[in-house]
């Protein structure tokens, strides 16, 4: 039996704009993945604890408050500290172009900026998921 | 097995991995469960079921807190439906319990039903064993939002809470077969809403006129408003005293043995079926058989009894 791909969709930080996160959660469900949706105002700690308990393959972070340069890398660091750096982190939201490179360097494997079609996210997951199969 | 050591030591990653192994039917699953078997039997399992939006997850969230206040370790298995079209799933129960996400004494695992129709997933049965062996004192299993027939939760719970909300219909609904029969505790949630008292009266009436075997324990009704945290203390006390009663009366042991019986016969059924299908090369020949039946060249029952004769010749002596 094929291993199902599991994805956590989480919103770190304090902004309550969850339409993007909900949209992506629903679209990934429709694409056949199992999506664990944790809702708004999550801390990097709660996101990482959830990722480990749920044994996810991916963590998708959505942020519109501007704190992505602090919070996204923090999630990657905490996963590493837990020995769970095989979990792939990607992000989305209003993220300026000039931040993308430094975020990628810090281990966020993809950044999806406003206007990205959902197929780009699915392509990313499909290209990465094989390497995460246990 | 390294994984078994990790689980019994309470290692979070080991437990999470093990649940994935059983959920995906991966290699090593049977050995893992056999190795864990001696370590099970210490946890109490609460089932939480009820229609969509009744407040099952919010109630679970409050009950987690009660258990944590008393120093108990809690695991929650929260099941949501898989799409029959894409196989995808949006697992959103956890959202209501996220305040406990970083508490090391709480483990929440979301599960998709993956085509299983009884209100839980097939893997939920085995996931309970993993959490039990890992030393969780209480395991809550939350079903998908149920309708009238998803009653499988009784097969894995020590106590079933059926969560109802006002506005679902008259007492005839409450008298129907199925889900309404499986509650040990009837929780009337959102009790601040209009119609809660009437619902309570209706459930009371139905319980009063129900014929039940003498030895089976009394069913209880409890009014709660999980959001406002009212009635939770009462519900918690009912859960405690019911567990104690069922344990002392031997009812719980009986229930757990019934559960094992069902599980073992189910395993026999699956394995025998797999074996026989292989012996008869069912997969390879199915298409040609179907062709024959479709064209009326083969009579289905005659065909089956011939196949059975083939089998008996081979496996039954004499």
């Amino acid at each position: 039996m094929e291993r199902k791909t599991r994805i956590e969709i989480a919103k770190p930080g304090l902004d309550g704009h969850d339409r993007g996160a909900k949209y992506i959660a629903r679209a990934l469900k429709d694409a056949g993945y199992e999506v664990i949706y944790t809702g708004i105002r999550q801390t990097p700690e709660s996101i990482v604890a959830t990722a480990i308990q749920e044994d996810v393959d991916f963590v998708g972070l959505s942020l519109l408050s501007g704190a992505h340069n602090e919070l996204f890398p923090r999630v990657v660091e905490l996963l590493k500290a837990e020995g769970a750096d095989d979990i792939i982190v990607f992000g989305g939201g209003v993220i300026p172009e000039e931040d993308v490179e430094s975020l990628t360097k810090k281990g966020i494997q993809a950044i999806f900026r406003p206007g990205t079609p959902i197929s780009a996210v699915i392509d990313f997951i499909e290209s990465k998921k094989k390497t995460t199969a246990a | 097995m390294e994984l078994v050591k990790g689980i019994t030591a309470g290692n979070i990653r080991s437990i999470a991995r093990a649940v994935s192994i059983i959920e995906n039917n991966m290699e090593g699953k049977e050995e893992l469960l056999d190795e864990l078997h001696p370590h099970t039997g210490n946890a109490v399992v609460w089932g939480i079921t009820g229609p969509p939006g009744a407040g099952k997850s919010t109630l679970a969230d409050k009950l987690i807190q009660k258990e944590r206040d008393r120093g108990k370790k809690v695991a929650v298995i929260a099941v949501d439906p898989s799409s029959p079209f894409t196989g995808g799933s949006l697992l959103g129960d956890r959202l209501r319990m996220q305040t406990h996400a970083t508490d090391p004494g709480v483990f929440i695992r979301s599960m998709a039903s993956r085509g299983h129709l009884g209100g839980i997933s097939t893997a939920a049965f085995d996931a309970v064993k993993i959490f039990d062996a890992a030393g969780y004192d209480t395991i809550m299993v939350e079903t998908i939002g149920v309708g009238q027939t998803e009653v499988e939760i009784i097969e894995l719970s020590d106590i079933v809470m059926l969560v109802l909300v006002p506005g679902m219909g008259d007492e005839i609904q409450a008298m129907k077969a199925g889900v309404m029969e499986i509650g040990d505790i009837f929780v009337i949630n959102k009790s601040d809403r209009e119609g809660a008292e009437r619902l309570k009266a209706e459930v009371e009436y139905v319980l009063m006129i129900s014929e039940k075997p003498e030895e089976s324990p009394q069913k209880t009704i409890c009014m709660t408003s999980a959001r406002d945290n009212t009635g939770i203390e009462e519900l918690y006390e009912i859960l405690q005293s019911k567990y104690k009663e069922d344990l002392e009366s031997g009812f719980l042991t009986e229930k757990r043995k019934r559960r094992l019986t069902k599980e073992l016969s189910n395993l026999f059924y699956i394995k025998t079926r797999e074996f026989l299908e292989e012996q008869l090369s069912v997969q390879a020949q199915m298409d040609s058989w179907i062709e024959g039946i479709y064209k009326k060249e083969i009579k289905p029952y005659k065909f089956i009894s011939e196949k059975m004769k083939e089998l008996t010749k081979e496996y039954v002596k004499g």
Side-chain angles (χ1 to χ4, degrees):
Chain A
M1 196 175 161
E2 193 198 348
R3 186 191 150 97
K4 268 264 173 204
T5 302
R6 289 165 67 86
I7 306 166
E8 174 184 359
I9 295 294
K11 267 194 66 59
L14 297 176
D15 77 277
H17 305 284
D18 57 0
R19 271 187 65 169
K22 282 178 179 160
Y23 173 77
I24 190 98
R26 163 118 204 244
L28 293 176
K29 178 209 83 177
D30 289 341
Y33 303 112
E34 290 184 358
V35 182
I36 293 104
Y37 183 68
T38 58
I40 58 171
R41 301 203 179 97
Q42 296 296 303
T43 60
E45 286 77 9
S46 69
I47 290 167
V48 167
T50 299
I52 291 172
Q53 290 177 10
E54 298 285 358
D55 197 24
V56 296
D57 308 290
F58 295 86
V59 174
L61 303 169
S62 165
L63 195 86
L64 287 88
S65 71
H68 49 268
N69 286 329
E70 291 75 40
L71 296 174
F72 285 9
R74 181 84 184 122
V75 170
V76 175
E77 275 164 33
L78 287 171
L79 280 171
K80 199 166 184 178
E82 295 287 337
D85 44 354
D86 53 314
I87 298 174
I88 294 167
V89 180
F90 63 93
V94 278
I95 292 158
E97 178 107 57
E98 60 262 34
D99 290 346
V100 173
E101 203 189 319
S102 78
L103 286 172
T104 321
K105 272 192 188 139
K106 285 173 183 160
I108 293 92
Q109 297 204 21
I111 295 289
F112 300 102
R113 302 181 57 242
T116 313
I118 193 71
S119 59
V121 183
I122 293 169
D123 287 346
F124 166 75
I125 289 166
E126 286 299 307
S127 72
K128 293 282 179 183
K129 80 170 190 192
K130 280 184 193 77
T131 60
T132 65
Chain B
M1 252 177 128
E2 204 55 40
L3 193 58
V4 174
K5 270 189 211 151
I7 294 166
T8 49
N11 179 284
I12 303 294
R13 266 226 121 174
S14 305
I15 300 166
R17 283 266 160 83
V19 177
S20 297
I21 288 175
I22 52 138
E23 212 180 10
N24 291 297
N25 242 329
M26 282 151 77
E27 226 185 288
K29 169 185 153 177
E30 295 183 359
E31 193 194 348
L32 172 70
L33 289 167
D34 268 353
E35 291 294 313
L36 290 176
H37 182 67
H39 302 279
T40 58
N42 304 308
V44 47
V45 185
W46 296 345
I48 306 179
T49 191
K56 296 183 290 298
S57 307
T58 310
L59 196 69
D61 175 60
K62 301 297 191 238
L63 290 171
I64 294 172
Q65 192 56 53
K66 283 277 167 220
E67 286 286 77
R68 294 301 293 145
D69 291 346
R70 282 155 186 81
K72 301 274 177 101
K73 282 180 78 182
V74 187
V76 181
I77 300 166
V79 189
D80 264 326
S82 294
S83 161
F85 305 107
T86 66
S89 182
L90 184 59
L91 305 163
D93 290 331
R94 192 191 175 95
L95 177 68
R96 326 270 171 209
M97 308 175 215
Q98 218 29 14
T99 47
H100 303 289
T102 54
D103 179 347
V106 179
F107 194 126
I108 302 166
R109 181 66 178 239
S110 315
M111 273 189 167
S113 61
R114 298 196 180 176
H116 193 73
L117 295 177
I120 49 180
S121 64
T122 320
F125 287 88
D126 292 332
V128 165
K129 293 172 199 154
I130 293 171
F131 289 118
D132 187 351
Y136 289 88
D137 301 293
T138 308
I139 302 164
M140 295 187 218
V141 183
E142 181 188 335
T143 70
I144 64 166
V146 301
Q148 292 179 315
T149 60
E150 298 94 329
V151 297
E152 221 170 45
I153 189 72
I154 39 170
E155 282 166 24
L156 69 75
S157 316
D158 295 327
I159 303 172
V160 174
M161 288 171 257
L162 174 62
V163 186
L164 300 171
V165 281
M168 297 197 319
D170 61 11
E171 76 271 18
I172 299 299
Q173 296 301 334
M175 285 160 71
K176 287 184 180 173
V179 164
M180 284 304 291
E181 296 173 295
I182 65 169
D184 296 305
I185 304 171
F186 286 73
V187 180
I188 297 174
N189 195 30
K190 307 190 184 181
S191 61
D192 51 324
R193 290 207 181 161
E194 202 192 316
E197 284 300 331
R198 211 188 71 203
L199 175 61
K200 185 180 177 223
E202 280 163 6
V203 174
E204 266 168 358
Y205 172 70
V206 172
L207 290 183
M208 194 185 71
I209 60 170
S210 307
E211 289 277 345
K212 63 177 183 67
E214 231 157 77
E215 69 276 15
S216 75
Q218 194 58 45
K219 300 196 174 212
T220 323
I221 303 173
C222 184
M223 305 276 274
T224 59
S225 171
R227 191 196 53 196
D228 309 329
N229 217 1
T230 54
I232 303 298
E233 184 65 43
E234 290 80 352
L235 174 60
Y236 187 73
E237 265 155 33
I238 294 169
L239 281 162
Q240 301 304 316
S241 62
K242 181 152 181 49
Y243 178 68
K244 211 168 152 250
E245 267 168 41
D246 288 357
L247 195 64
E248 280 163 8
S249 68
F251 184 74
L252 192 64
T253 312
E254 205 183 297
K255 209 174 191 176
R256 286 176 171 177
K257 278 190 183 157
R258 269 207 306 267
R259 191 187 307 162
L260 288 175
T261 313
K262 189 125 190 177
E263 255 182 65
L264 195 63
S265 25
N266 199 28
L267 277 181
F268 261 121
Y269 170 75
I270 294 168
K271 293 287 177 186
T272 323
R273 187 187 155 134
E274 276 172 12
F275 175 73
L276 293 181
E277 289 195 344
E278 206 186 295
Q279 293 303 307
L280 292 169
S281 8
V282 171
Q283 264 210 320
Q285 299 187 71
M286 188 57 104
D287 284 350
S288 72
W289 295 340
I290 291 301
E291 203 53 33
I293 293 173
Y294 184 76
K295 288 184 181 150
K296 322 291 178 208
E297 291 159 3
I298 298 177
K299 290 178 177 159
Y301 282 99
K302 189 165 168 253
F303 168 76
I304 289 292
S305 63
E306 272 163 18
K307 283 284 155 197
M308 287 298 119
K309 265 182 214 151
E310 255 176 60
L311 277 175
T312 12
K313 241 179 244 162
E314 198 155 341
Y315 296 103
V316 182
K317 284 177 196 158

